[in-house]
């Protein structure tokens, strides 16, 4: 790595906007320049490396300067990971305004998404970022098997009730596996919300969830699951769940039966 390249990375790390502007001028990098993605001796550092350095060290001014200078930036996974490890709404908003597709970022495995990875972070740390993703129409129906979409990921990550509510209000799927997680994790707050908003399952799920509740040994959870599942006796696998059913008897069940059966 050349001295100037290292200086650029150092400026992004330290937040020295003046130094970065000076380096841009020396290297003939101006507004509309094409970003570099692979490190080579005769090119500036890869744009994603510069963004990662700025995000990791909490420098939104540097991020804004990079976005103003380079055109057509394609964000790589390292940028998303840096945001997950160091959440900063000002930086996320700047990236979103540059390319709003960032909220639907998926890794190459086509299973891991920005939302599902965010759900693995500590709730108190990641809640504002998750709310931003949900409010800005991140796809809640991708990430793993169909039964393991955003609501399931949020429950596995023990995310706050307001995050889970926001997901469901935006059409997030409450799968059988998500319901199971709510019971296993003894989330009385979530179960009460499911009851209030009319989330329903199939009659085949009643005994399953009651058994899961009993195994927790939590009498409040057992009581809530009993109340919640009483009305399901007439629901069959033909009942549909899906987007837009919040507050109108949203039903979940074996997603494989719904999609493939």
């Amino acid at each position: 790595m050349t001295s100037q390249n290292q200086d650029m990375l150092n400026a992004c790390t330290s937040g020295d906007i003046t130094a970065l502007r000076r380096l841009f001028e020396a290297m003939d990098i101006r507004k509309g320049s094409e970003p570099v993605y692979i490190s080579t001796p005769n090119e500036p550092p890869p744009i994603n490396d510069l963004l990662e350095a700025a995000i990791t060290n909490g420098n939104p001014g540097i991020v804004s300067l990079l976005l103003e200078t380079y055109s057509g930036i394609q964000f790589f996974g390292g940028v998303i990971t840096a945001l997950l490890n160091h959440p900063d709404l000002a930086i996320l908003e700047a990236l979103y305004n540059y390319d709003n597709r960032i909220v639907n970022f998926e890794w190459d495995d086509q299973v891991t998404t920005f939302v599902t990875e965010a759900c693995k972070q500590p709730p108190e740390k990641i809640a504002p970022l998750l709310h931003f993703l949900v409010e800005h129409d991140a796809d809640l129906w991708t990430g793993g098997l169909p039964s393991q979409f955003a609501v399931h990921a949020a429950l596995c990550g023990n995310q706050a009730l307001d995050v889970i509510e926001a997901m469901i209000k935006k059409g997030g799927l409450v799968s059988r596996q998500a319901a199971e997680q709510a019971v296993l994790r003894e989330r009385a707050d979530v179960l009460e919300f499911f009851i209030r908003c009319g989330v329903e399952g199939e009659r085949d799920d009643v005994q399953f969830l009651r058994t899961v509740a009993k195994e927790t040994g939590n009498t409040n959870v057992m009581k809530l699951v009993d109340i919640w599942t009483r009305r399901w006796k007439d629901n069959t696998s033909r009942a549909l769940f899906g987007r837009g059913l919040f507050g109108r008897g949203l039903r979940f069940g074996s997603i494989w039966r719904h999609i493939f059966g």
Side-chain angles (χ1 to χ4, degrees):
M1 180 181 292
T2 66
S3 174
Q4 281 186 321
N5 284 6
Q6 186 60 58
D7 288 344
M8 285 183 70
L9 285 168
N10 291 343
C12 290
T13 299
S14 66
D16 192 336
I17 294 176
T18 301
L20 186 58
R21 288 187 187 277
R22 191 162 52 243
L23 287 161
F24 279 167
E25 185 176 348
M27 300 176 75
D28 196 30
I29 299 171
R30 59 191 69 193
K31 188 171 183 178
S33 291
E34 292 188 6
V36 172
Y37 294 104
I38 299 174
S39 181
T40 60
N42 300 319
E43 297 280 359
I47 182 60
N48 282 278
D49 290 359
L50 298 175
L51 285 168
E52 286 175 45
I55 294 167
T56 299
N57 291 279
N59 296 320
I62 293 289
V63 171
S64 294
L65 177 57
L66 292 169
L67 299 179
E68 291 167 7
T69 303
Y70 290 100
S71 64
I73 299 173
Q74 180 181 349
F75 302 128
F76 287 0
V79 168
I80 308 302
T81 299
L83 266 174
L84 292 172
N85 292 330
H86 307 277
D88 187 311
L89 286 186
I91 290 176
L92 177 55
E93 186 168 10
L95 296 173
Y96 175 83
N97 289 337
Y98 185 89
D99 184 353
N100 61 15
R101 294 174 298 176
I102 193 171
V103 298
N104 289 318
F105 183 88
E106 290 184 31
W107 273 262
D108 290 341
D109 61 7
Q110 297 183 333
V111 169
T112 310
T113 72
F114 199 165
V115 172
T116 59
E117 284 300 285
C119 288
K120 296 177 182 178
Q121 295 290 323
E124 64 279 2
K125 165 186 171 182
I126 207 68
L129 185 145
L130 270 171
H131 274 293
F132 184 97
L133 295 178
V134 174
E135 289 164 9
H136 289 80
D137 298 323
D139 190 348
L140 305 177
W141 281 58
T142 56
L145 297 172
S147 58
Q148 298 169 337
F149 291 158
V151 175
H152 177 267
L155 283 161
C156 287
N158 208 31
Q159 296 301 324
L161 175 62
D162 58 347
V163 169
I164 294 166
E165 285 186 3
M167 287 180 173
I168 294 173
K169 288 177 181 179
K170 277 283 191 174
L173 168 68
V174 181
S175 65
R176 184 176 191 259
Q177 288 78 0
E180 180 185 10
Q181 285 298 318
V183 178
L184 278 173
R185 295 174 184 274
E186 302 177 37
R187 291 293 301 269
D189 57 339
V190 174
L191 295 173
E192 289 170 352
F193 172 69
F194 287 169
I195 293 168
R196 287 198 309 274
C197 74
V199 173
E200 295 183 8
E202 301 169 6
R203 63 186 178 195
D204 292 345
D205 298 317
V206 173
Q207 191 55 50
F208 168 72
L209 288 177
R210 288 181 178 179
T211 299
V212 173
K214 185 176 181 180
E215 289 172 353
T216 68
N218 185 319
T219 55
N220 188 40
V221 168
M222 286 187 271
K223 179 182 177 181
L224 287 170
V225 170
D226 181 65
I227 293 170
W228 183 30
T229 57
R230 282 177 195 169
R231 70 184 76 178
W232 299 0
K233 62 181 180 179
D234 296 326
N235 294 347
T236 70
S237 61
R238 291 188 296 276
L240 296 178
F241 59 80
R243 300 175 190 264
L245 294 178
F246 170 77
R248 291 185 289 150
L250 177 64
R251 293 177 180 176
F252 68 87
S254 172
I255 192 163
W256 299 111
R257 289 202 297 274
H258 288 309
I259 294 179
F260 301 111

